[in-house]
Amino acid sequence: MVASVVSCLLRGLEGRLVEIQADASVGKNGFFLVGLADASVKEARERVRSAIRNSGLEFPKQRLTVNLAPAVLHKEGSGFDLPMAVAIALSLAGRPPPEGTAFLGELALDGSVRAVPGVLIAAQALAAQGVEDLFVPEGNAAEAALVDGLVVRPCPDLAAVMRHLNGQTALPAQAWALPEPPGEAPVDDDLAEVHGQEAARRALEVAAAGGHHLLLSGPPGAGKTMLARCLPGILPPLTLEEAMEVARISSILGELDGVPLRWTRPFRSPHHGVSTSGLIGGGAGVARPGEISRASGGVLFLDELAEFNPAALQALRQPLEQGRVTITRTAGTVTYPARFILVAATNPCPCGWAGDHLRRCRCSPGVLDLYQRALSGPLLDRIDLRVNVTRPPLQALSSEPAGESSAVVRQRVVAARGRQLARQGCLNGALRPAGLRAHAPLGSVRPLLERWASERGLTARGFHRSWRVARTLADLEEAPAIAERHVLEALGYRLDTSDAA
Ligand SMILES: [Zn+2]
């Protein structure tokens, strides 16, 4: 008879129900597998056949056909092993699977069930489609158990699954376990450890408060990396919804490592040699999330910005504007979240020492000019805040008192964000010109900003950048209107040449 077992196919962060039908019928010996992407078929057949035999189960001697439906969907991956083996065993036994059940997992040749990527996403999709009982690899049980309304059964091996289905020994269920968000998010790098650097500390706070992208320019050893690493700790703690989104990305990459929910905001720091697909997402088959999606909800730090492949930086523009990235491959189109604060760091010049108080810059004016122009590309149009970071004099490291802790700064950030969300439903960093006019009127300070813009040759984009930042500065002070001091401080967060038309 035909036995039909339910499983799940992943398309990025979405899951589609797949039906796996096994038919052991009279006929010539053979094992036919239909509906799986070519490359995976042969290996899947070998794993399933060996796993069934090594689990003390009978493998059909007659003709065996396994079909994965719907046929039009491109299916790849090893997660269909377990449902295929279950369908085969049930077909041979002439029994239907229990109602409302689904199976996910790779089989080792000895019949043990191995973890697969994306189980959290599959569990959510299957629960939404009425599945009540989900059989998963033991290594994926914790993530599946985040989904309400599912009975999750961790499966050690195929034999144990069949004993359960045969009514011999029940597989214990993993209890639903949705952790409560902690009151205080853990902080990996604390601003209290940053000595001096008042201007950069202030810029970090403004970036966090308004969701503004930030460029740190300074010589080697100025502490740009440490400053960037402090940004996640002054952002508000992840909400449950945000933590689930971070977990979904980790799940599809197979990187949850048994800890389904983490509460620290992501901090990703790809090397400048990263490929475009490594940064944006991509790869063979269904596109995998890239660094920008791993950073979603947190911070993407690009150190030595000038060294990155220009094509990769170019590809950042769309996600920076939209907060998500859409990737098309022959296997299908997927969309991943990409809501991050970009912190870029650069040396002030090719030799690295322009503006330093001890060492001299050896760059010629021509080289300096070229460097500035390379940095003033379209990517920088999306960066609202630019700040120079200088090397603190050595004595500052020991003598200056430590600054405020991240927890103190975070309170101001959270309050300022709350005001923006209540007023306009988004952070100031996401306001386009129409939104600025509607929600952040310049009022009496408009002439000041306009005069400055025309005297210094500010582009329209540069004008809007300073406007957005001024609004955030006002929000940090609980000021209802943008005042002159906000505009003047906002105009300070620029590197001059990059705004010139
Ligand atoms: Zn130089």
Side-chain angles (χ1 to χ4, degrees):
M1 72 162 274
V2 178
S4 189
V5 163
V6 169
S7 189
C8 188
L9 168 72
L10 297 175
R11 269 285 175 277
L13 297 183
E14 286 165 25
R16 297 277 298 268
L17 206 123
V18 170
E19 220 172 278
I20 294 169
Q21 299 145 349
D23 183 11
S25 56
V26 186
K28 216 175 160 202
N29 195 352
F31 180 2
F32 301 92
L33 188 44
V34 188
L36 198 61
D38 295 350
S40 320
V41 172
K42 195 159 173 266
E43 289 170 12
R45 225 168 26 198
E46 288 317 307
R47 285 195 304 268
V48 169
R49 196 198 313 259
S50 296
I52 289 178
R53 287 191 175 135
N54 292 330
S55 301
L57 303 166
E58 188 191 345
F59 193 84
K61 289 179 193 67
Q62 60 270 50
R63 177 191 175 92
L64 173 66
T65 308
V66 173
N67 177 39
L68 280 69
V72 288
L73 295 176
H74 173 95
K75 300 174 218 69
E76 56 179 29
S78 53
F80 301 120
D81 290 359
L82 177 63
M84 281 196 272
V86 169
I88 291 167
L90 291 176
S91 166
L92 211 56
R95 277 189 299 116
E99 294 252 322
T101 57
F103 300 82
L104 286 166
E106 177 181 317
L107 289 174
L109 298 182
D110 66 359
S112 55
V113 179
R114 287 180 170 166
V116 288
V119 169
L120 171 57
I121 297 152
Q124 288 178 317
L126 289 168
Q129 302 219 37
V131 167
E132 291 161 356
D133 212 343
L134 180 61
F135 294 72
V136 298
E138 286 179 324
N140 299 122
E143 55 183 292
L146 294 174
V147 180
D148 195 6
L150 266 186
V151 175
V152 172
R153 296 190 197 277
C155 306
D157 52 52
L158 177 59
V161 175
M162 292 318 298
R163 282 197 297 275
H164 176 97
L165 295 175
N166 292 336
Q168 293 160 307
T169 318
L171 276 173
Q174 172 116 356
W176 177 56
L178 194 57
E180 283 283 311
E184 279 290 287
V187 174
D188 288 337
D189 294 278
D190 200 294
L191 269 180
E193 290 153 36
V194 175
H195 295 258
Q197 305 285 18
E198 288 312 314
R201 292 174 64 103
R202 172 72 170 167
L204 271 186
E205 179 172 339
V206 177
H212 301 284
H213 304 305
L214 170 65
L215 176 72
L216 301 171
S217 174
K224 290 171 286 187
T225 301
M226 176 60 186
L227 284 162
R229 296 193 71 90
C230 286
L231 183 50
I234 59 170
L235 291 169
L238 287 172
T239 62
L240 176 60
E241 202 177 317
E242 288 171 321
M244 285 293 268
E245 186 172 273
V246 171
R248 279 195 290 272
I249 295 285
S250 299
S251 172
I252 203 154
L253 291 162
E255 292 175 352
L256 278 175
D257 295 331
V259 186
L261 278 194
R262 294 169 206 269
W263 299 101
T264 37
R265 289 192 177 264
F267 179 86
R268 299 295 302 184
S269 173
H271 184 259
H272 56 69
V274 69
S275 66
T276 302
S277 64
L279 188 63
I280 303 301
V286 178
R288 284 160 57 87
E291 290 290 340
I292 60 170
S293 298
R294 292 167 183 237
S296 194
V299 174
L300 179 71
F301 178 50
L302 302 183
D303 198 8
E304 302 188 58
L305 185 66
E307 304 291 323
F308 278 78
N309 174 2
L313 295 183
Q314 184 77 12
L316 269 180
R317 293 175 56 195
Q318 178 231 358
L320 272 177
E321 299 228 317
Q322 301 183 343
R324 61 181 189 278
V325 60
T326 299
I327 309 160
T328 300
R329 289 284 178 279
T330 48
T333 295
V334 293
T335 297
Y336 291 115
R339 283 182 300 278
F340 53 87
I341 296 181
L342 172 66
V343 180
T346 178
N347 290 336
C349 67
C351 86
W353 298 106
D356 192 64
H357 53 91
L358 286 179
R359 293 186 51 173
R360 270 189 51 198
C361 169
R362 303 184 307 269
C363 305
S364 70
V367 166
L368 271 179
D369 191 46
L370 272 179
Y371 189 76
Q372 286 288 357
R373 268 193 235 176
L375 279 180
S376 65
L379 180 62
L380 287 208
D381 271 342
R382 275 79 181 168
I383 298 182
D384 287 345
L385 293 162
R386 298 103 185 264
V387 65
N388 285 313
V389 185
T390 50
R391 276 194 311 155
L394 271 183
Q395 62 270 26
L397 294 178
S398 49
S399 64
E400 281 194 28
E404 282 178 311
S405 72
S406 292
V408 172
V409 177
R410 185 166 63 232
Q411 285 180 358
R412 292 195 296 267
V413 167
V414 168
R417 283 183 164 227
R419 282 188 279 277
Q420 295 162 57
L421 295 175
R423 181 175 65 228
Q424 67 218 18
C426 69
L427 297 179
N428 295 332
L431 281 181
R432 298 296 134 220
L436 277 170
R437 284 191 294 274
H439 301 294
L442 279 167
S444 62
V445 293
R446 176 174 281 279
L448 172 70
L449 187 56
E450 283 179 345
R451 190 171 67 243
W452 215 93
S454 75
E455 280 172 11
R456 303 297 290 267
L458 217 65
T459 60
R461 284 183 186 278
F463 183 83
H464 291 127
R465 277 202 298 273
S466 296
W467 188 350
R468 277 192 290 269
V469 172
R471 184 57 253 180
T472 299
L473 295 168
D475 283 320
L476 275 168
E477 284 183 7
E478 291 184 61
I482 299 174
E484 190 176 310
R485 63 182 178 283
H486 305 132
V487 171
L488 292 174
E489 184 180 344
L491 288 169
Y493 295 119
R494 344 175 24 261
L495 296 177
D496 283 311
T497 56
S498 55
D499 273 334

